[in-house]
Amino acid sequence: MPRSTVARVDLEALRHNFRLAQSRAGGARAMAVVKADGYGHGIVNVARALASEVEKFAVACIEEALAIRSAGLEQPVVLLQGVHTPDDLRDCVQRGFEPVMHCHGQLDWLAAGPNPRFWLKVNSGMNRLGFRPEELDSVVAALGPSATTGPLLGFVTHFACADDLTSDMTDHQTRLFENATAAWPALMRSVGNSAAHFRPGQPLYDWSRPGIMLYGASPMIGKTGPELGLQPVMTLEAPLISTRVVRAGESVGYGASWVAQEDTRMGMVAIGYGDGYPRHAGTGTPAAIRGKRVRLLGRVSMDMLAVDLTGAPEALEGDPVELWGTTVSVDEVASCAGTIGYELLTGVTARVPRVCE
Ligand SMILES: *Cc1c(COP(=O)(O)O)cnc(C)c1O
């Protein structure tokens, strides 16, 4: 028998969240971002579950797009980082991938080789990838007159601060992008990570690109996914494999970092940082047993962690423990570990089976 440490994936919740993204996209259509193995949920699981309602998928790199094709799905797949070699362009043409070209080197490959349908990335202020707004005229002109009536689908930009409603950066980026692309009204425009769907009045143009919100975790500073109307998709669960009473004055785990003030019933859970549970989650991080919240004690080990059973006196060895899911949001655990839900979801390791329900 394998240990019962699993990541349960609720596909109905995923579809609910996609519909919420679509309903918050204004006139835009939402492409589903399924990079990083579907944010840790299994790219094939996620793409298949959304296939009947999603018109386009988006991934970071071509291997991920090939995984969607090998699952038998035929929607166009946007490659958010473009292509990494000139040979990839042939795959793009043959398989209907739409690379987002972000630099002159990629455009040189395009000039010399096969032309898939593609997007141009505009750097409106993120300063990771893309052409500057003032460069766009000359970049498009250099593609030649046939580009704007065929292979060039349109323009993409990405927001740096859409998660922060007090920042004016997104308005600034939106204005720059809109002005830079105004000369080509027949081409499409794509902006909008998940956070942009929660910004009142934010234009999302033709295609928005929700990622994290599809999985039920929050894209917004200071809010959990459920507070935004999202349903958690992953429940990370592991069995309680041992219980004991730690006496007042005794410690638990590596570094003896937590010391009992009074006799405390505690339990060991079969999950640790080797499964992707964050080692930086300290004493007090929430988990749940039988729907009741309990707290972590001491340091997370590679294969185990300790919980205080005071809050769940009826807990028994063999009980499943929820590390995050419907009772404890992944956003809460992330904030206890000094990170974001994105990192926790994508960090669940291959040792943990994904079980779709
Ligand atoms: C990852 C990514 C997204 C999705 O972002 P979320 O914050 O997960 O919604 C959208 N656009 C680009 C370019 C990305 O890299």
Side-chain angles (χ1 to χ4, degrees):
M1 278 281 285
R3 64 181 184 149
S4 51
T5 301
V6 292
R8 299 190 188 283
V9 177
D10 179 347
L11 299 174
E12 210 39 66
L14 177 76
R15 286 187 281 261
H16 164 91
N17 296 335
F18 178 75
R19 287 177 205 131
L20 186 75
Q22 186 57 78
S23 76
R24 298 192 71 97
R29 283 175 285 174
M31 61 175 89
V33 182
V34 298
K35 61 191 178 184
D37 201 23
Y39 286 55
H41 296 66
I43 187 168
V44 170
N45 300 334
V46 165
R48 283 206 174 124
L50 292 175
S52 64
E53 12 204 325
V54 163
E55 289 176 68
K56 256 189 219 296
F57 291 105
V59 296
C61 53
I62 200 159
E63 305 89 287
E64 298 172 323
L66 289 167
I68 293 176
R69 284 291 173 272
S70 62
L73 304 175
E74 289 170 356
Q75 282 91 339
V77 184
V78 175
L79 308 181
L80 296 169
Q81 267 176 33
V83 289
H84 291 256
T85 72
D87 285 348
D88 292 345
L89 288 173
R90 204 171 335 107
D91 270 330
C92 292
V93 172
Q94 280 169 4
R95 299 173 195 270
F97 302 156
E98 303 175 356
V100 178
M101 307 301 253
H102 62 76
C103 64
H104 290 286
Q106 290 180 334
L107 296 184
D108 292 344
W109 296 339
L110 208 54
N115 268 224
R117 285 142 75 87
F118 68 99
W119 301 78
L120 283 179
K121 176 85 168 227
V122 180
N123 172 19
S124 58
M126 177 72 111
N127 277 314
R128 297 193 306 190
L129 300 176
F131 300 99
R132 288 189 179 273
E134 61 273 20
E135 252 186 303
L136 214 51
D137 279 341
S138 67
V139 168
V140 175
L143 292 171
S146 59
T148 49
T149 53
L152 178 59
L153 293 165
F155 306 96
V156 170
T157 200
H158 196 43
F159 296 136
C161 304
D163 56 338
D164 179 359
L165 291 175
T166 67
S167 165
D168 55 12
M169 180 84 173
T170 309
D171 291 341
H172 177 69
Q173 288 191 265
T174 303
R175 264 194 311 277
L176 273 180
F177 180 68
E178 184 153 332
N179 292 337
T181 56
W184 302 279
L187 298 184
M188 296 191 287
R189 290 185 280 200
S190 171
V191 304
N193 49 359
S194 297
H197 294 72
F198 295 97
R199 294 182 67 80
Q202 173 64 43
L204 295 175
Y205 305 103
D206 299 292
W207 286 96
S208 70
R209 304 189 305 274
I212 193 71
M213 70 179 293
L214 305 182
Y215 310 95
S218 174
M220 304 304 281
I221 291 173
K223 289 249 195 264
T224 66
E227 286 168 352
L228 295 168
L230 299 167
Q231 296 179 2
V233 174
M234 184 189 292
T235 297
L236 184 64
E237 197 179 279
L240 195 62
I241 55 170
S242 159
T243 62
R244 74 183 63 244
V245 174
V246 182
R247 301 208 182 107
E250 291 179 342
S251 64
V252 171
Y254 284 120
S257 68
W258 180 80
V259 178
Q261 299 300 301
E262 56 196 342
D263 291 2
T264 303
R265 185 164 173 260
M266 52 80 73
M268 294 310 302
V269 187
I271 193 165
Y273 62 80
D275 302 292
Y277 190 89
R279 187 174 170 279
H280 287 100
T283 295
T285 303
I289 305 178
R290 301 187 180 210
K292 294 193 171 139
R293 290 166 77 96
V294 295
R295 59 177 190 135
L296 262 62
L297 297 178
R299 283 198 199 151
V300 173
S301 307
M302 187 185 292
D303 315 307
M304 274 181 273
L305 55 77
V307 291
D308 182 346
L309 296 177
T310 311
E314 68 280 44
L316 295 175
E317 286 173 13
D319 278 358
V321 179
E322 177 190 306
L323 286 311
W324 60 68
T326 48
T327 306
V328 173
S329 87
V330 68
D331 305 300
E332 283 180 83
V333 178
S335 96
C336 291
T339 183
I340 51 179
Y342 297 72
E343 189 182 18
L344 298 190
L345 293 175
T346 57
V348 175
T349 63
R351 184 162 78 173
V352 180
R354 275 62 168 177
V355 176
C356 292
E357 16 205 66

